[in-house]
Amino acid sequence: MARTSYRYVDWTLDSDPEQPTQRRIECASCPAASGDSPGQLGPDQWALRHAGDTGHRDYREIAIAHLHARPADEDA
């Protein structure tokens, strides 16, 4: 009979500094969307221009962040 032992570990989730967060804004009224950007300024400017051109007022922001899980007692 095999003997088993368990070690309970607290985990933490960190962002991956080598992979920047990508942001995109999509119009909620039509299929138009800004391009992906590591910053906020480009998508924001796109949405404001799109609102001025079309009168569309509702948008969704999509943010994609790369994350890494590790045991809490492991050095980052």
Side-chain angles (χ1 to χ4, degrees):
M1 175 180 227
R3 186 173 182 157
T4 304
S5 63
Y6 294 95
R7 178 177 169 242
Y8 294 94
V9 176
D10 288 324
W11 287 80
T12 187
L13 201 57
D14 298 316
S15 61
D16 184 345
E18 295 180 15
Q19 299 288 329
T21 298
Q22 293 292 312
R23 292 181 169 83
R24 175 177 66 245
I25 293 181
E26 298 176 347
C27 180
S29 301
C30 74
S34 71
D36 288 350
S37 172
Q40 191 63 44
L41 187 57
D44 282 358
Q45 288 176 337
W46 174 86
L48 295 172
R49 269 194 317 273
H50 187 73
D53 292 344
T54 64
H56 297 167
R57 296 181 178 210
D58 298 311
Y59 296 87
R60 289 181 290 274
E61 180 181 35
I62 311 299
I64 301 170
H66 298 271
L67 305 174
H68 179 73
R70 65 177 174 79
D73 61 355
E74 182 180 279
D75 290 334

